[in-house]
Structure formats: structure tokens, C-alpha cells
Amino acid sequence: MTTPSPDLSGAPDLSGTVDMSHGGGGRAMARLIRDIFLRHLANPLLDQGHDATCLDLGSGRIAVTTDAHVISPLFFPGGDIGSLAVHGTLNDLAMAGARPVALTAAFIIEEGFALADLDRIAASMGRASRDAGVPVATGDTKVVERGKGDGVFITTSGVGVVPSAVDISPRRLRPGQAILLSGPIGDHGIAILSRRQGLEFGTEIRSDSTALHRMVADMIAAVPGIAILRDPTRGGLSATLNELTNAAGVGMLLDERAIPVRPEVAAACELLGLDPLNVANEGKLVCVCEPEDAETLLAVMRNHAEGRDAARIGHVTVDRPGFVRMTTAIGGQRVVDWLSGEQLPRIC
């Protein structure tokens, strides 16, 4: 995304579409970067104008993550691919206990994509970045021929600093630990599906996409000994918990009645034959901690808008290692298995 510092005065012309010259490295590409990306993402790090930005990370270990975003549709209730790309990468850093420092962004744009839509995506990305207090420090832009992409793909990477006292890892899971969930599940996946299929459920279901790093920082400050943090994105809560039990060689037992699901999401899942436990989320986290720390962490989460409905949903067990079980609302038990196949394609 490197380009000389541009004059950003005046409104850009966004009436056209992306063509191959926008990816050719010449004047058209410089204009695209100036008129869209730098207009919305400008900050002191990006303004350094280098392919590699220099960061002052301070003390602690470095956390690095990268993620590709290929969501369809690009715009949905509660967000779009731009804000989602920021939130997803920030949350991946936060789940490692890191304080995010900077992001990078690479855009792969299909020839013929509307400049106005690209501008809308970049503006959303800029707002999400500024709201989170984490700049997009550098990036790249490529254009592919018509028919060889799907509008726009975004790959983001993030760099953060993990305090030396923080040790978040599946190897720290132990029987008896409490399992916490920061709020209702399934909002994002159902919001995407409703927009993709033109479904109406009587009330608009909005994606939960949001950045969680500030809430996580307060959680770690209150309880530095948190065992694990995970965001249940693709595959939903079931995939996240199965991944943890398999990695740590423990079991988990959930209480169905304790797992928060909004009534409209539950109704939509019932109508469509979906299990909310398998539906993707973009603004929720799972926390496993010592049982005596559970109430402290729930109080911290509930003090944030994104954790207002946090709940204790189960505990880690010594029996049935590698299996997640759930006590159902009618008192029986069932296995919460991995999702077989793909329930909702192109969800994040």
C-alpha cells in the first residue's frame, strides 16, 4: 500500500468500478490507494510510507496472527467485511492475552467491483480500527481479472504484546474448572444467512461482530491466571469446545439451560433445522478458569457492553476425555459433537 503522502482534499470520484489498471502499480493504483484506503485508514504508522512499518512494542512477548476474510454477502446487518476483518484479527490476538498494537491489511479486488462499495468497506474498516484504538499500519492491494474473484477478499494480520505473567494455553485445562461464555450465541451466523437468503424473521437479527480486546484486558487484570480464552467463530461453540477437549485430553459438561441464545435466534435455528451451538459468532468468547475466579470474571464481563449477558455454562471433567457433553433442558444428556460438513458457507 506504499505511496507518497497524498493530497486528500476534495471528494474522490467513486462512480466507476475497479479495473486491472488499479492493480498495475501505476497512476491508477496510486489514485485508488489515495482516494479510498488512505482516506479512511490514515494514521501515523501508515503514513510512514514504507512497505514495512516500524513498531515500538514495549516489553513482553510478541503475539502475531493472520486471517483471511471471504464472507458472502459483503454487507450484512451489524457489519460488513471491513469491520469484520478488524474485529476478527483483534479478537485472535486478545484470545492469546495480547494487547493489540497494529494491524496489516491486504485487499484482493475483482475487476468490475464498484468503487463506491470498496469505499464503503474501507470506511467501515477505518471506523472499526479507530474505535478499537489499533491502527492499520501497512497493507497491500491486488486486482484480479473479472470472474477470478468474488468481489473483494481481505487478509489481515495483527501484532500484539503479551504480558510476561500471562500464560493462556489448552495445556492449563484441569478438571473442575469453570466454563464461561460472554453472551448469546448464533447472532452472526443467522444474520449472515438471513441477508444471504432474503429471510425475514419478524425482527432483524444483527451480527455480534465487535472487538473484545478491552474486555479481555480487564479480565486478565482481575484474574491473571485465566487458563484459556477462545472466540467461537466458524463451527460455533461446539467446534471451539471440542477443539479444546481434544487438545487438552479432558472432558466438558455443559448445561443447556445456562447457554444464552436470543429467542429470535433460537426460533430461526428451529425453523431452519440448525443447532445454535454450531452457528458462527464474531463477538463472543469462551473463558475457562478456576471455579473460585468465575464470579469475578463474570462481573468484569458484565461491566462491558459486549459481555453484559455473560454466563457460567459448564465445567471441565476428568471423565470422557475428548468429549463435550451437555445436560439438556429436559434433564437428559447428549454429546455435543463437531459439526459434520459446512452448515453455513462463507461465514467469516
Side-chain angles (χ1 to χ4, degrees), residues 181-184 260 262 301-302 304-311:
L181 178 64
S182 64
R262 299 188 198 281
M301 285 191 278
R302 290 167 182 164
H304 290 259
E306 54 268 32
R308 186 172 295 121
D309 298 314

Side-chain angles (χ1 to χ4, degrees), residues 25-101:
R27 187 184 302 275
M29 184 173 180
R31 187 180 300 117
L32 181 78
I33 293 171
R34 179 198 66 192
D35 288 349
I36 292 182
F37 297 121
L38 291 183
R39 178 174 293 275
H40 297 297
L41 302 178
N43 62 77
L45 290 176
L46 193 60
D47 292 347
Q48 288 181 22
H50 301 299
D51 284 331
T53 293
C54 298
L55 304 174
D56 181 4
L57 296 178
S59 61
R61 291 167 291 150
I62 296 174
V64 180
T65 188
T66 191
D67 205 357
H69 305 271
V70 295
I71 194 165
S72 176
L74 298 174
F75 304 95
F76 49 85
D80 54 65
I81 191 172
S83 59
L84 180 70
V86 171
H87 295 157
T89 303
L90 291 178
N91 291 346
D92 284 347
L93 289 172
M95 296 308 104
R99 173 181 62 84
V101 174

Side-chain angles (χ1 to χ4, degrees), residues 26 33 64 88 96 98 123 128 131 148 150 175 178 194 213 251 268 285 299 307 309 314-316 319:
I33 293 171
V64 180
D131 289 347
K148 294 188 177 180
D150 194 6
S194 63
H213 60 293
L285 66 79
D309 298 314
H315 63 276
V316 181
D319 59 326

Side-chain angles (χ1 to χ4, degrees), residues 224-246:
I226 291 171
I228 195 73
L229 294 167
R230 285 291 170 89
D231 51 341
T233 52
R234 279 178 297 178
L237 183 62
S238 63
T240 295
L241 297 184
N242 273 283
E243 181 182 327
L244 291 175
T245 57
N246 277 265

Side-chain angles (χ1 to χ4, degrees), residues 19-299:
D19 60 45
M20 294 305 299
S21 69
H22 286 117
R27 187 184 302 275
M29 184 173 180
R31 187 180 300 117
L32 181 78
I33 293 171
R34 179 198 66 192
D35 288 349
I36 292 182
F37 297 121
L38 291 183
R39 178 174 293 275
H40 297 297
L41 302 178
N43 62 77
L45 290 176
L46 193 60
D47 292 347
Q48 288 181 22
H50 301 299
D51 284 331
T53 293
C54 298
L55 304 174
D56 181 4
L57 296 178
S59 61
R61 291 167 291 150
I62 296 174
V64 180
T65 188
T66 191
D67 205 357
H69 305 271
V70 295
I71 194 165
S72 176
L74 298 174
F75 304 95
F76 49 85
D80 54 65
I81 191 172
S83 59
L84 180 70
V86 171
H87 295 157
T89 303
L90 291 178
N91 291 346
D92 284 347
L93 289 172
M95 296 308 104
R99 173 181 62 84
V101 174
L103 301 171
T104 74
F107 299 83
I108 301 176
I109 313 162
E110 185 181 13
E111 181 184 17
F113 191 70
L115 290 171
D117 285 343
L118 186 61
D119 184 72
R120 182 180 169 190
I121 289 167
S124 175
M125 196 171 195
R127 284 193 299 272
S129 171
R130 289 188 293 274
D131 289 347
V134 183
V136 176
T138 190
D140 191 34
T141 305
K142 294 291 186 295
V143 177
V144 298
E145 293 92 343
R146 191 185 303 267
K148 294 188 177 180
D150 194 6
V152 62
F153 300 149
I154 302 177
T155 296
T156 44
S157 296
V159 178
V161 178
V162 183
S164 56
V166 173
D167 183 20
I168 292 174
S169 169
R171 62 182 170 73
R172 296 191 56 229
L173 293 179
R174 300 285 186 274
Q177 291 173 327
I179 304 169
L180 313 180
L181 178 64
S182 64
I185 58 173
D187 294 19
H188 178 71
I190 297 301
I192 296 295
L193 182 62
S194 63
R195 179 55 55 91
R196 181 185 295 158
Q197 303 297 336
L199 301 175
E200 297 290 342
F201 298 115
T203 182
E204 184 179 59
I205 299 174
R206 298 177 63 81
S207 170
D208 62 345
S209 180
T210 193
L212 301 173
H213 60 293
R214 292 190 177 102
M215 182 174 74
V216 169
D218 287 348
M219 292 169 66
I220 290 173
V223 180
I226 291 171
I228 195 73
L229 294 167
R230 285 291 170 89
D231 51 341
T233 52
R234 279 178 297 178
L237 183 62
S238 63
T240 295
L241 297 184
N242 273 283
E243 181 182 327
L244 291 175
T245 57
N246 277 265
V250 297
M252 290 184 177
L253 181 61
L254 310 179
D255 180 355
E256 183 176 31
R257 293 167 299 182
I259 299 174
V261 183
R262 299 188 198 281
E264 57 269 32
V265 171
C269 286
E270 184 174 1
L271 177 67
L272 299 168
L274 304 176
D275 186 341
L277 297 177
N278 294 332
V279 178
N281 312 273
E282 284 295 343
K284 299 295 183 295
L285 66 79
V286 173
C287 171
V288 181
C289 64
E290 298 304 322
E292 60 269 23
D293 293 327
E295 290 304 318
T296 298
L297 287 168
L298 286 172

